[in-house]
């Protein structure tokens, strides 16, 4: 599972509203909804965010294994 908590944390720490972040990065409202729901988005969207805010992938998202993935890795 993907989590965009680092992106939201960055915005909060730098007084950037989510709407302003979306505008700065040139992201559509539908795509922003996917990000708010921690759904996967394309690499081109991640590139827009990184370029718009001057960040790296690791600065805007994190990978969280689901229960099934964790069990498969342990087997």
């Amino acid at each position: 599972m993907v989590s965009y908590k680092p992106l939201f944390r960055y915005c909060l720490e730098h007084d950037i509203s989510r709407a302003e972040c979306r505008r700065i990065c040139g992201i559509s409202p539908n795509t922003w909804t996917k990000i708010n729901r921690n759904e996967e988005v394309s690499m081109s969207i991640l590139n827009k965010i990184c370029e718009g805010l001057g960040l790296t992938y690791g600065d805007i998202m994190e990978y969280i294994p689901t229960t099934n993935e964790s069990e498969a890795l342990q087997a």
Side-chain angles (χ1 to χ4, degrees), residues 9 18 23-25 32-33 35 44 50 52-53 59 61 69-70:
R9 201 173 303 123
R18 291 185 180 199
R23 185 189 55 77
I24 290 170
C25 299
W32 192 253
T33 298
I35 291 171
S44 63
C50 289
L53 299 175
D59 295 332
M61 61 186 248
E69 292 170 340
S70 296

Side-chain angles (χ1 to χ4, degrees), residues 34-45:
K34 283 183 167 186
I35 291 171
N36 281 322
R37 293 178 181 168
N38 287 322
E39 295 176 6
E40 294 179 14
V41 297
S42 70
M43 291 298 293
S44 63
I45 298 301

Side-chain angles (χ1 to χ4, degrees), residues 2 4 7 14 43 53 60:
V2 173
Y4 298 98
L7 171 62
H14 291 85
M43 291 298 293
L53 299 175
I60 63 170

